[in-house]
Amino acid sequence: MRRIQPIRLGKSKNEQSLFYQFDFNVVEANETDHRATTDVEVAPLNDELQQQSLTSDQLQLLFRKASSELIAETADEQDFFKREATIKAPKTSQIVQTPFPAPLSERKEDSELTIEQLKQLAKQEAGPLIIERYSPSEEQVDYVMPTVNLTFNQPMISVSSLDENMNLEELGISLTPKIEGRWRWTGTKTVQFEAKHRFPYSTKFTLRVDKEHCVSVIGGKAILHSMRFHSVHIFLILSLIVGKLDEEFVFEFSTATAKVLDFSPYGTVSTLKPKCFLLFNQKINMNEISKHIRVVSSSGNEIQNQELEMLDDATAKSEFKSNINADEGNHEKYVAFTFKNDLSKATEYLVQLPIGCPSAEGPLKTTSEWSTSFHTYEPLKIIDCFPNETNSWQRTAAPGQNWSLTFNNSLNHSTINKSLFKIEPEVNGLGIEHVEHNDREITMHNDSKPNTVYTLFIEAASLKDIHGQTLEHDFSAKPIQFKVHDSPPLTGDISSAIGMVTIDPGVLDEPFYPFMVYNYSELTVRINR
């Protein structure tokens, strides 16, 4: 576009200069019109000026001056906007029309076969139906088993039938005993039995495939073969003897029998009526298992089953909460019991489950024995001391050196008091120390004198262990004595550089010679200048 500026008209001597603004209405003329009509409206820029009519000569002069005085500006001209890249329009595909089936003229020529070739073709047989693999493949399954799989070497169903519910008994495939679950094809060659939960333990299963009923989808089907024989078109039907098993398939496998996974207590127990807990790998009947539990002491004394007391659910879940809650379903897999009478002290007890223990999941029973053991605590007694005359490495102690007593059981700290300990002859500075991290030992601080034998007496009835037992020790028959030897002779020593040492004042601002001396009353130093 071009901006049109107001045009100044020429004037005569007696006329004033006037500025006008022109509005043009241009219409397209028809082909039949012989002339174009232009309406021109002249309006003065100043409202006070009056309108004047122009003659044709004045108009021509006006147009000539206007066209010569128009000035083009750079902002008036702009390039046409064009997209940088234009998406190509999609092309239509070519549609080829062809008949189906193809006309006879376009078909391939049928093969020419002789009588001998026909005989050989009729005798051809495809390979037999084979079970390539199956799982489980082991006869003893000791893990959680959710599925059983069979894979054939030929398609057993069509692809379109994969999602259909099929009766596997029609194919001669069976699994006994029957459990809750479903058969499904995971492919045209693989069939899977999926248990609703898992295969029960302690059960013997039989996987069977009948050779008469198990036929692949290509087995027993007729194949149509066309040929020409002496210019005569013949259709030959060949029956293939394929798709059947050569022999019946039978595989037997057994799931794991009852097995103890966890037992408590172990080691040394802190009570003579310990609570015992057995966790199995499968569901069991607590009352049936309790009939098979045997508890035998190290002396050979067997505790009868009627001397065992089964724990109720509330007590068992309180005592063995972490064991029961460790896995879902454990509340049906454990046996918990205690003893009606106190067990003997300082005795090892063997807990046994003999062969033939039943399961609540299947008829199979255990075929091996299981056993474990625990110990009852011993009576409280002193097992060692320092110094100890029977120990060649620590027969005596130095004057003022600490003495110690070691017990077989952890001591009850609240029962330990300085008044329980009496030493003859009396020793000065006696102090009794019992610490938590070493609760089976008592340390005695003292100011013992050299070349002296001290005898220890303890009020045994008042000193107890964590089991509530008092000390069992006859101090008159087995006195505990601490021998203190004489003070060792003093050994002098000088710790420093040996030989001649040069001290250079030019190197050190304050020359010095460091050394350490002990057990010497005097020292001679020689300085050479």
Side-chain angles (χ1 to χ4, degrees):
M1 296 179 61
R2 296 179 183 274
R3 182 168 58 87
I4 301 177
Q5 297 179 347
I7 301 174
R8 184 176 179 179
L9 299 178
K11 62 183 178 67
S12 59
K13 295 180 180 180
N14 298 325
E15 294 177 341
Q16 295 180 351
S17 298
L18 297 177
F19 291 91
Y20 294 89
Q21 176 177 319
F22 299 93
D23 294 330
F24 298 94
N25 293 327
V26 181
V27 298
E28 184 178 357
N30 296 328
E31 294 180 356
T32 56
D33 295 343
H34 297 286
R35 61 181 180 179
T37 303
T38 302
D39 296 332
V40 180
E41 180 181 353
V42 182
L45 293 178
N46 192 343
D47 293 340
E48 297 178 356
L49 298 178
Q50 297 180 354
Q51 296 183 358
Q52 295 183 2
S53 299
L54 300 178
T55 63
S56 59
D57 294 337
Q58 290 176 330
L59 288 174
Q60 292 296 331
L61 178 61
L62 176 63
F63 290 149
R64 285 196 298 270
K65 288 187 176 183
S67 60
S68 62
E69 294 184 8
L70 291 177
I71 300 174
E73 297 182 1
T74 56
D76 294 336
E77 297 182 1
Q78 296 182 1
D79 294 335
F80 180 75
F81 174 75
K82 183 179 180 181
R83 191 186 304 272
E84 294 182 0
T86 304
I87 301 175
K88 295 182 179 180
K91 296 181 179 180
T92 58
S93 59
Q94 185 179 5
I95 299 176
V96 179
Q97 299 289 344
T98 182
F100 182 83
L104 294 176
S105 59
E106 297 180 5
R107 297 182 187 178
K108 294 182 179 180
E109 290 293 333
D110 295 322
S111 59
E112 295 283 350
L113 297 178
T114 63
I115 294 295
E116 291 300 325
Q117 289 175 330
L118 287 176
K119 291 180 180 180
Q120 294 297 326
L121 185 61
K123 293 179 181 180
Q124 288 183 1
E125 296 182 2
L129 182 63
I130 298 174
I131 297 176
E132 290 186 335
R133 58 184 177 273
Y134 52 89
S135 66
S137 58
E138 58 270 42
E139 295 182 356
Q140 296 294 330
V141 180
D142 58 355
Y143 52 86
V144 177
M145 190 175 68
T147 60
V148 165
N149 297 275
L150 272 174
T151 300
F152 298 86
N153 66 330
Q154 298 177 14
M156 303 300 292
I157 61 170
S158 60
V159 176
S160 60
S161 303
L162 282 176
D163 296 331
E164 297 179 3
N165 293 326
M166 301 186 66
N167 185 5
L168 269 294
E169 293 182 357
E170 296 179 356
L171 290 176
I173 302 175
S174 63
L175 179 67
T176 54
K178 293 183 178 181
I179 61 173
E180 195 173 359
R182 68 186 183 102
W183 288 96
R184 69 185 187 95
W185 290 94
T186 60
T188 58
K189 299 180 181 180
T190 301
V191 64
Q192 179 185 85
F193 179 80
E194 189 177 61
K196 185 175 182 180
H197 302 290
R198 60 166 173 80
F199 277 70
Y201 285 109
S202 300
T203 306
K204 184 177 182 179
F205 291 91
T206 301
L207 181 61
R208 188 184 305 273
V209 182
D210 186 5
K211 68 176 183 178
E212 297 298 331
H213 295 85
C214 189
V215 182
S216 66
V217 291
I218 66 172
K221 287 190 175 181
I223 297 180
L224 182 65
H225 184 81
S226 63
M227 65 176 183
R228 288 184 181 276
F229 181 70
H230 295 298
S231 301
V232 179
H233 200 83
I234 299 176
F235 291 93
L236 180 64
I237 298 178
L238 301 176
S239 179
L240 298 181
I241 308 175
V242 295
K244 287 188 177 182
L245 293 173
D246 286 342
E247 58 184 14
E248 185 180 35
F249 172 82
V250 179
F251 177 68
E252 295 180 344
F253 62 93
S254 301
T255 51
T257 56
K259 178 182 178 181
V260 178
L261 300 179
D262 190 15
F263 175 79
S264 182
Y266 55 88
T268 302
V269 296
S270 59
T271 175
L272 297 180
K273 285 186 178 180
K275 295 179 177 65
C276 298
F277 176 84
L278 291 86
L279 180 65
F280 291 82
N281 63 335
Q282 56 192 272
K283 298 177 183 178
I284 50 93
N285 187 309
M286 185 181 299
N287 294 327
E288 290 295 324
I289 291 293
S290 64
K291 297 176 183 178
H292 293 76
I293 296 176
R294 295 182 62 214
V295 181
V296 183
S297 67
S298 55
S299 61
N301 181 32
E302 181 176 352
I303 299 177
Q304 302 300 319
N305 291 97
Q306 55 268 26
E307 298 181 51
L308 304 180
E309 182 180 351
M310 307 306 295
L311 299 181
D312 57 74
D313 289 342
T315 304
K317 292 178 180 178
S318 175
E319 291 287 335
F320 308 102
K321 182 178 180 180
S322 60
N323 304 78
I324 297 175
N325 294 338
D327 193 12
E328 185 179 359
N330 280 356
H331 62 282
E332 298 180 288
K333 301 178 182 179
Y334 74 88
V335 171
F337 66 93
T338 186
F339 301 88
K340 295 180 179 180
N341 303 314
D342 287 349
L343 301 179
S344 301
K345 296 180 181 180
T347 305
E348 180 183 17
Y349 285 89
L350 186 68
V351 182
Q352 296 177 320
L353 284 177
I355 297 173
C357 288
S359 168
E361 296 194 19
L364 298 183
K365 298 181 179 181
T366 57
T367 57
S368 60
E369 182 182 284
W370 172 88
S371 64
T372 189
S373 63
F374 63 88
H375 296 261
T376 53
Y377 55 80
E378 297 181 353
L380 180 60
K381 56 186 177 181
I382 299 172
I383 59 175
D384 196 11
C385 64
F386 173 81
N388 189 345
E389 190 177 7
T390 61
N391 190 331
S392 59
W393 294 97
Q394 50 185 17
R395 289 180 177 177
T396 61
Q401 188 176 2
N402 293 339
W403 305 331
S404 65
L405 292 174
T406 304
F407 299 82
N408 63 330
N409 297 334
S410 298
L411 299 177
N412 185 341
H413 183 76
S414 63
T415 64
I416 300 175
N417 192 291
K418 181 180 177 180
S419 61
L420 303 180
F421 300 84
K422 182 181 179 181
I423 298 177
E424 294 180 355
E426 186 176 355
V427 63
N428 296 327
L430 180 63
I432 304 300
E433 180 183 6
H434 178 253
V435 293
E436 183 178 359
H437 69 272
N438 191 9
D439 56 3
R440 296 192 302 118
E441 184 174 289
I442 289 179
T443 302
M444 290 172 282
H445 304 276
N446 61 86
D447 292 332
S448 57
K449 297 178 180 180
N451 299 321
T452 307
V453 177
Y454 295 91
T455 303
L456 173 67
F457 297 93
I458 301 177
E459 190 176 327
S462 300
L463 183 63
K464 297 181 180 180
D465 61 10
I466 58 174
H467 310 300
Q469 301 180 110
T470 57
L471 179 62
E472 296 184 4
H473 188 89
D474 187 354
F475 289 92
S476 59
K478 296 181 179 180
I480 297 178
Q481 294 181 330
F482 303 128
K483 292 185 177 181
V484 181
H485 55 247
D486 192 7
S487 299
L490 296 178
T491 302
D493 185 49
I494 299 177
S495 176
S496 181
I498 59 176
M500 180 175 290
V501 178
T502 301
I503 302 176
D504 188 355
V507 177
L508 300 175
D509 295 336
E510 296 181 1
F512 65 93
Y513 172 57
F515 59 89
M516 181 182 295
V517 180
Y518 63 90
N519 289 341
Y520 281 112
S521 59
E522 60 182 23
L523 184 66
T524 301
V525 179
R526 181 180 299 167
I527 301 176
N528 298 318
R529 293 181 178 272

